[in-house]
Amino acid sequence: MEAFHCFMTIRKPLYHPEIRLFRPAKSWSSKIARLIILNLADERTRLNSVEGSVSASSSEKKSMKSDLHIRFPRREGEESERSRVEEEVRKASEETLEWHSVCSQVSAFASTAAGREVCRSGRLRVGGDQAESQKLLDQTAAAVLLPEKLDFSDVDDVSELVRTAVDGEPLTVREMCAVGRSLTSASGVLGQLVRVSSIGTSSDRYFPLADILQNCDFLTELVNKMAFCFDCNLFVILDRASARLAAIRLERRQNMDKLEELLKEESIKVFQAGGIDSPLITKRRTRMCIGVKSSHKSLLPEGVVLSVSSSGATYFMEPKGAIQLNNSEVMLSNCEKAEELAILRILTSEIAESETSIMRLMEKILELDLACARGAYALWMDGVCPSFVDDNDRDNLNENMLSVDIEGIHHPLLLEPFLTRSSSGLSSAVGSQKMLRMEDCVSQTRTKSKSPVPVDIKIRASKKVVVISGPNTGGKTATLKTLGLASLMSKAGMFLPAKKKPRIPWFDQILADIGDHQSLEHNLSTFSGHISRICKIIQVSTKESLVLIDEIGSGTDPSEGVALSPSILQHLSECVNLLVVTTHYADLSLLKTTDSRFENAAMEFCIDTLQPTYRILWGSTGNSNALSIAKSIGFEQEVLDRAQEWAMKLAPDKQTEWQGLLYQSLVGERSVLEYQAKEAASLFLDVKKLYFEIQAEAQDLSTREMALKANESRNLQQELKSARSQLEAVIKNFEDQLQTANPDQFNSILRKSESKIASIAAAYQPTINDTSEEEDRNSLYTPEIGERVYVKGFGDKVAIVIEEPTEDGITMVQCGKIKVRVKKNDMRPVQTSTKGRATSSGFQLREQEQKQQRFIESPKDEPNDGEVSFGPAVRTSKNTVDLRGMRIDQASHKLQIAIAGCKSHSVLFIIHGMGTGAVKECALGILRNHPRVIRFEEESPMNFGCTLAYIR
């Protein structure tokens, strides 16, 4: 084994005489396989002879190992060569695992241009050690908890501007303002973090984010200088930037005023003399002048011609008196530009002197932006924070404890199509603890359609090598990539799209050999590309590395591939933290029986459907199921039968039947248990849903009861007030008549007054319901299946009888989705007569005032309407049309559309309100004449302002 270690590691491959074997050559795969096997045999023979004569103590083994390594002494430049190979393998592994695509997903949540560029180029920061990765995870966790988005809107990438300043080239006003704006915005982000941290009791929860900007120099003095000197809205230098600039500009304004006044006078004189059609003052060759016809240029004696119009009809002349003023204007303009340039140079030099502080601040702002982007990304995919298993304590773990414990993880790239986003796409996001927030993305409501199948990755601490077998297209490669990405994401401080709390070791390198590395350009076959990548992995791997190899030993003679693969696995098991490989070689699964560091896993395959389930069976060995897959594709049975004969001849131990039967029985038992678990979960959800429905119904009944009581109380107060006013009117009338009547008329007036008072008292006398009579009727009533009834305790809701009454008078009714058993004495049939009972407050006067039809049948009723069941009349947003606040024509149009859109045998709630009654009368008129309306019920005490229509 040690000899193989020496041979495969090739500490100095460029100088090793056997390195030529790893160069592409004809029949390369078979030659190298034979050579490695022969070399292994020679080395093992030598080791056995050594072990036979020397005690096999641990110290002796270590010395033997060191002796073997002495064969390849380190030479000058080996470290640089190793670093080059490490970087090459790292880049190839990240490309294989599609790390750049994951980083591109994060880029959509970055707020700054620099942050987006870093993510898109795949340069997302990855922790160099476990402490750094944990720090990144803490930053992400703090970003997830942010209650509001951090404002990076004014932060620009000013690194190029700073480098320009360092090179000595003065910056423009616009560039100066960009630097100042970025510095101010960075200071504002820190202030925002401090303000957020001061809210609530736990101020330390955002400390990992605030700590990023600690000890940063925000160059407040430089920012104040730039704000004093520049107007960043107009991008100009202010007069107060320097005393000399203010004096120059003042003198220039005064000079310009004199010049404009002089030119105005001269142009008016020329105009009055007919020298121009209208006074014209303009600028030519940076000098102010006036326009004059070519035939009248003599009007400006000793004037200087600066320019001539294209037609030659107009001369642009500088009057004699304006020459000195124009000279002063040119001189002052040059002085002003020189002074502005001096100011820009001074501030540019200060920016150059502050290069280190500015660049460090921009790096910290970038780090903070990436932390917020990781937090938003975690919320978008509903990720959970992983925890690292300290590899130093791995030996102290119980052998049955898990070093890798990831439950229900999705591949992030496979998960993306199943996550819906708001119209802004993957815009920036951050916010409250359980919602996506940051800009539109989270208002962004995340919904999942049918998502990909998650996998459980559970590897015990005592295992160093996992061999995954199973059918083609079963998910072996996707599992490898998922584990590799989970390790990279954890190192980079990103949450994982998994369940519960994932645990994973910290790996210093994630090295992957996945896919076909054939290259015609480099003269590499499939096998040579595969084995050369493994050789480089062995060369750079360490005790803390994770190695992922797909289809190890493939691409060559299967017998040689089977011989080479175990040797590679046994060697790597001593060199790395964890090795996970996929294979179709059954012999590799037998290594578990001889080496406790090996573990098997199989991708589940359904024999009944001949389809993979994409789930991992840990501790099991899977079959490739090539013949089953070929059968499902449609191969001829004759071909498959012949293939089966060959498989039985070639299979080791003829594929002992009991193993297959045991595997199938275990899979069947697992399927039964999973089905029972799903049934239990479904039943639990139904019970929970029913509970919430009953709770909502109870709350609704309580609300209606309170509203009814309040309404009745209000009506009672109105009736009492009305009665009192009527009695006062009778008394007042009585007193007035007494004053004017004769004594003989007193008795007559008194009897009339008493009669009126008695009639008022009788009108307000409460009615007494004959409850015993109602009970007698209910005792004789027998409900029928499909009949609509009112149930005591259900309020005014209608239920449907779904079972015949038993001998003890109990039957089952359904109200919405609720089914209950009730006594027939507790129900009464729904009245379908043209006049229903008037539900008054209990006083005869109000009963007389509110007499109106409650159930009005349309004259177009069909004779068999009574046989149609409409179900319970439960109001929802879908069967309700609200006409309140509309004009008559608008309400009529909306109601017509609502009736036309109703399903057959449905109920429509029309809300018309309690206003003037115009909308209500319009609605009732439409309902009486509409051909689809069978009947309708007007408003009741339980439904004021609402009419129910039953649709044909």
Side-chain angles (χ1 to χ4, degrees):
M1 191 64 221
E2 297 295 334
F4 179 72
H5 174 78
C6 296
F7 182 79
M8 293 301 294
T9 303
I10 309 179
R11 297 294 180 182
K12 185 59 181 174
L14 294 179
Y15 300 96
H16 192 271
E18 306 255 285
I19 193 62
R20 65 180 181 274
L21 296 174
F22 291 91
R23 293 174 182 170
K26 186 175 182 181
S27 303
W28 187 89
S29 60
S30 59
K31 289 182 179 179
I32 182 151
R34 291 191 186 96
L35 181 60
I36 291 176
I37 294 169
L38 292 174
N39 201 304
L40 282 172
D42 294 342
E43 292 294 343
R44 284 174 178 166
T45 302
R46 193 182 68 80
L47 286 176
N48 289 335
S49 63
V50 172
E51 289 176 355
S53 59
V54 183
S55 174
S57 63
S58 60
S59 60
E60 290 171 342
K61 290 181 179 180
K62 289 181 179 179
S63 64
M64 186 186 302
K65 186 172 183 178
S66 63
D67 291 341
L68 291 172
H69 279 296
I70 292 175
R71 294 182 184 183
F72 309 108
R74 294 182 179 271
R75 302 185 183 183
E76 187 178 355
E78 182 178 356
E79 289 299 329
S80 60
E81 174 65 16
R82 179 184 174 87
S83 299
R84 184 192 65 78
V85 176
E86 278 186 2
E87 183 67 14
E88 178 186 344
V89 175
R90 181 190 67 80
K91 289 182 178 180
S93 299
E94 290 182 356
E95 181 180 355
T96 297
L97 296 174
E98 300 178 271
W99 173 243
H100 284 56
S101 298
V102 176
C103 293
S104 295
Q105 286 183 334
V106 181
S107 69
F109 298 95
S111 298
T112 64
R116 289 189 289 271
E117 178 59 28
V118 167
C119 294
R120 287 168 184 164
S121 60
R123 293 184 286 111
L124 204 59
R125 178 183 173 188
V126 177
D129 53 36
Q130 183 171 330
E132 185 178 0
S133 295
Q134 188 60 52
K135 180 180 178 181
L136 294 174
L137 283 174
D138 293 340
Q139 293 174 359
T140 305
V144 167
L145 300 176
L146 280 175
E148 62 183 43
K149 171 196 170 185
L150 296 184
D151 186 8
F152 295 95
S153 57
D154 290 332
V155 177
D156 297 325
D157 185 6
V158 298
S159 56
E160 288 297 329
L161 299 180
V162 175
R163 281 191 283 271
T164 300
V166 172
D167 292 340
E169 183 179 345
L171 302 180
T172 64
V173 177
R174 187 180 294 272
E175 293 170 340
M176 288 280 189
C177 289
V179 175
R181 184 170 57 250
S182 297
L183 296 176
T184 303
S185 181
S187 178
V189 170
L190 177 61
Q192 189 178 4
L193 273 176
V194 172
R195 179 175 56 79
V196 169
S197 301
S198 64
I199 301 174
T201 56
S202 179
S203 59
D204 296 337
R205 63 198 313 182
Y206 308 114
F207 176 76
L209 297 179
D211 185 57
I212 296 175
L213 296 180
Q214 292 298 326
N215 302 322
C216 285
D217 186 0
F218 293 94
L219 302 171
T220 307
E221 183 178 353
L222 177 59
V223 172
N224 291 337
K225 283 183 180 179
M226 288 191 285
F228 181 81
C229 295
F230 305 129
D231 182 347
C232 288
N233 293 322
L234 302 176
F235 301 110
V236 296
I237 301 177
L238 300 175
D239 293 352
R240 63 190 182 190
S242 71
R244 174 173 170 75
L245 180 63
I248 291 173
R249 287 182 173 176
L250 176 60
E251 184 178 355
R252 185 181 177 189
R253 283 193 294 270
Q254 293 173 349
N255 183 74
M256 181 58 70
D257 291 341
K258 294 178 182 178
L259 179 59
E260 289 178 349
E261 184 178 357
L262 173 64
L263 293 176
K264 185 176 180 181
E265 293 176 356
E266 292 293 337
S267 63
I268 290 175
K269 290 179 181 178
V270 171
F271 169 69
Q272 292 175 348
I276 194 69
D277 294 335
S278 61
L280 175 62
I281 301 176
T282 184
K283 193 177 220 180
R284 290 292 186 273
R285 293 161 56 183
T286 72
R287 302 176 73 86
M288 299 297 294
C289 57
I290 62 175
V292 60
K293 293 179 180 179
S294 57
S295 59
H296 292 72
K297 67 177 183 178
S298 59
L299 294 175
L300 296 176
E302 300 184 20
V304 178
V305 178
L306 298 178
S307 179
V308 181
S309 66
S310 58
S311 63
T314 304
Y315 282 17
F316 299 99
M317 300 183 65
E318 181 181 15
K320 179 181 178 182
I323 294 175
Q324 183 58 38
L325 294 175
N326 266 326
N327 291 339
S328 299
E329 169 63 20
V330 172
M331 180 192 68
L332 292 172
S333 176
N334 292 335
C335 292
E336 180 182 3
K337 292 178 181 179
E339 183 63 20
E340 289 178 348
L341 183 59
I343 295 171
L344 292 176
R345 287 187 181 279
I346 293 173
L347 292 177
T348 300
S349 65
E350 293 192 20
I351 291 176
E353 293 171 0
S354 305
E355 176 195 10
T356 303
S357 298
I358 295 176
M359 298 302 284
R360 181 175 183 275
L361 178 60
M362 291 298 104
E363 290 175 0
K364 293 297 182 180
I365 286 293
L366 174 61
E367 182 180 351
L368 181 59
D369 180 34
L370 293 178
C372 293
R374 295 195 303 270
Y377 179 69
L379 290 166
W380 171 71
M381 67 176 180
D382 197 16
V384 292
C385 181
S387 60
F388 291 115
V389 178
D390 192 348
D391 194 56
N392 295 328
D393 298 333
R394 181 168 178 168
D395 296 335
N396 299 328
L397 295 175
N398 186 297
E399 64 177 8
N400 292 322
M401 294 183 67
L402 300 175
S403 62
V404 178
D405 185 6
I406 308 176
E407 182 175 340
I409 186 170
H410 292 88
H411 192 294
L413 301 182
L414 296 179
L415 186 63
E416 179 180 0
F418 300 92
L419 300 179
T420 58
R421 297 159 292 244
S422 63
S423 58
S424 62
L426 289 177
S427 56
S428 304
V430 185
S432 76
Q433 298 183 6
K434 288 294 180 183
M435 297 174 58
L436 288 178
R437 326 171 272 275
M438 253 188 181
E439 250 176 7
D440 297 334
C441 185
V442 211
S443 354
Q444 152 192 84
T445 310
R446 263 172 93 271
T447 61
K448 289 186 180 179
S449 58
K450 185 179 179 182
S451 59
V453 179
V455 295
D456 299 334
I457 304 177
K458 297 179 181 292
I459 304 175
R460 286 183 288 173
S462 59
K463 304 301 179 182
K464 302 282 280 191
V465 181
V466 178
V467 178
I468 303 177
S469 55
N472 295 301
T473 70
K476 300 189 299 296
T477 304
T479 301
L480 281 188
K481 289 188 175 183
T482 301
L483 176 58
L485 281 178
S487 304
L488 275 172
M489 292 170 70
S490 301
K491 288 184 64 177
M494 297 166 65
F495 284 14
L496 304 182
K499 299 177 182 177
K500 297 184 179 179
K501 190 170 181 64
R503 283 165 48 87
I504 190 171
W506 187 88
F507 301 108
D508 64 345
Q509 298 180 94
I510 293 90
L511 308 173
D513 174 41
I514 301 173
D516 188 356
H517 305 292
Q518 185 184 70
S519 173
L520 297 178
E521 179 183 357
H522 297 94
N523 195 23
L524 291 177
S525 67
T526 298
F527 179 72
S528 59
H530 173 62
I531 208 70
S532 62
R533 175 70 65 85
I534 293 178
C535 182
K536 292 177 181 179
I537 288 175
I538 293 174
Q539 183 178 350
V540 302
S541 60
T542 68
K543 288 288 186 179
E544 295 183 355
S545 299
L546 168 66
V547 177
L548 308 169
I549 302 178
D550 187 30
E551 303 291 354
I552 185 170
S554 62
T556 187
D557 186 338
S559 60
E560 296 180 351
V562 170
L564 180 61
S565 300
S567 300
I568 296 176
L569 296 185
Q570 290 173 349
H571 170 70
L572 282 173
S573 64
E574 298 177 355
C575 300
V576 300
N577 188 321
L578 180 62
L579 168 64
V580 184
V581 301
T582 66
T583 185
H584 287 289
Y585 296 147
D587 289 351
L588 296 186
S589 301
L590 301 178
L591 294 173
K592 178 182 178 180
T593 59
T594 59
D595 194 335
S596 61
R597 297 173 300 173
F598 281 69
E599 177 63 283
N600 291 334
M603 302 307 298
E604 188 179 42
F605 186 83
C606 181
I607 302 298
D608 297 331
T609 61
L610 299 179
Q611 294 292 330
T613 62
Y614 306 108
R615 288 182 290 191
I616 305 178
L617 302 177
W618 293 97
S620 301
T621 301
N623 297 321
S624 296
N625 292 291
L627 299 182
S628 299
I629 294 174
K631 181 178 180 179
S632 66
I633 292 175
F635 260 85
E636 294 183 6
Q637 188 61 39
E638 182 181 354
V639 177
L640 297 176
D641 293 341
R642 193 176 299 117
Q644 184 65 37
E645 293 176 4
W646 277 102
M648 294 300 295
K649 292 178 181 179
L650 298 174
D653 299 331
K654 294 187 179 181
Q655 298 181 344
T656 52
E657 184 177 357
W658 68 270
Q659 289 182 345
L661 294 175
L662 177 61
Y663 173 77
Q664 292 183 12
S665 64
L666 290 175
V667 171
E669 183 177 355
R670 174 176 176 172
S671 300
V672 172
L673 292 176
E674 287 181 346
Y675 175 79
Q676 293 175 350
K678 289 180 180 178
E679 288 291 324
S682 177
L683 181 60
F684 171 76
L685 291 176
D686 291 341
V687 173
K688 190 175 181 181
K689 186 176 181 181
L690 181 60
Y691 167 78
F692 285 120
E693 287 180 354
I694 294 175
Q695 188 180 41
E697 291 289 342
Q699 292 177 352
D700 183 52
L701 289 174
S702 177
T703 304
R704 290 193 178 192
E705 181 183 3
M706 293 176 62
L708 183 59
K709 287 181 178 180
N711 189 42
E712 291 295 340
S713 176
R714 188 164 55 251
N715 292 336
L716 181 59
Q717 294 294 333
Q718 292 177 356
E719 290 174 354
L720 288 175
K721 185 176 180 181
S722 176
R724 186 182 293 110
S725 63
Q726 293 179 25
L727 290 174
E728 289 174 354
V730 171
I731 294 172
K732 184 177 179 182
N733 186 36
F734 174 75
E735 291 175 348
D736 293 339
Q737 289 180 356
L738 285 180
Q739 293 177 359
T740 59
N742 296 325
D744 297 336
Q745 298 175 339
F746 285 173
N747 290 334
S748 175
I749 294 173
L750 182 59
R751 284 193 297 272
K752 290 181 180 179
S753 298
E754 288 176 346
S755 176
K756 290 181 180 180
I757 292 173
S759 64
I760 293 173
Y764 287 95
Q765 183 68 26
T767 60
I768 301 175
N769 295 325
D770 192 357
T771 57
S772 61
E773 206 176 296
E774 174 122 14
E775 289 176 358
D776 292 340
R777 287 199 303 269
N778 288 343
S779 63
L780 299 175
Y781 168 66
T782 301
E784 298 179 356
I785 295 178
E787 186 175 359
R788 300 167 64 244
V789 297
Y790 291 114
V791 179
K792 183 178 180 181
F794 274 31
D796 200 29
K797 292 192 174 181
V798 177
I800 300 176
V801 179
I802 60 176
E803 287 185 6
E804 292 183 353
T806 59
E807 294 180 357
D808 54 358
I810 296 178
T811 184
M812 181 176 285
V813 299
Q814 179 175 356
C815 182
K817 294 184 178 180
I818 303 174
K819 298 179 180 179
V820 295
R821 294 186 179 275
V822 296
K823 296 180 179 179
K824 68 177 184 177
N825 294 337
D826 292 337
M827 63 178 73
R828 58 185 174 86
V830 175
Q831 298 295 332
T832 58
S833 61
T834 57
K835 291 188 178 181
R837 297 181 181 179
T839 55
S840 68
S841 65
F843 296 101
Q844 291 179 353
L845 181 63
R846 186 161 182 267
E847 181 177 320
Q848 294 172 2
E849 293 175 352
Q850 292 188 350
K851 277 185 180 180
Q852 51 186 341
Q853 292 181 342
R854 298 298 182 195
F855 303 94
I856 302 177
E857 294 188 0
S858 170
K860 303 186 179 199
D861 264 357
E862 296 179 0
N864 60 345
D865 285 342
E867 298 177 3
V868 178
S869 175
F870 288 90
V874 179
R875 183 160 67 90
T876 65
S877 60
K878 294 183 178 179
N879 65 355
T880 303
V881 57
D882 193 347
L883 307 179
R884 292 175 293 183
M886 297 185 180
R887 297 180 180 272
I888 299 299
D889 53 347
Q890 294 175 337
S892 174
H893 179 66
K894 186 172 183 179
L895 180 55
Q896 294 279 3
I897 293 176
I899 294 174
C902 286
K903 297 180 180 179
S904 299
H905 301 152
S906 60
V907 181
L908 179 64
F909 290 76
I910 301 102
I911 302 176
H912 44 68
M914 301 287 292
T916 61
V919 175
K920 175 182 175 181
E921 290 301 325
C922 173
L924 294 179
I926 294 173
L927 296 178
R928 289 190 187 97
N929 300 319
H930 201 286
R932 290 203 68 198
V933 178
I934 295 177
R935 66 175 183 272
F936 60 92
E937 300 174 5
E938 292 191 37
E939 59 187 2
S940 66
M942 295 295 291
N943 243 349
F944 280 115
C946 180
T947 296
L948 277 70
Y950 294 84
I951 307 302
R952 191 180 305 278

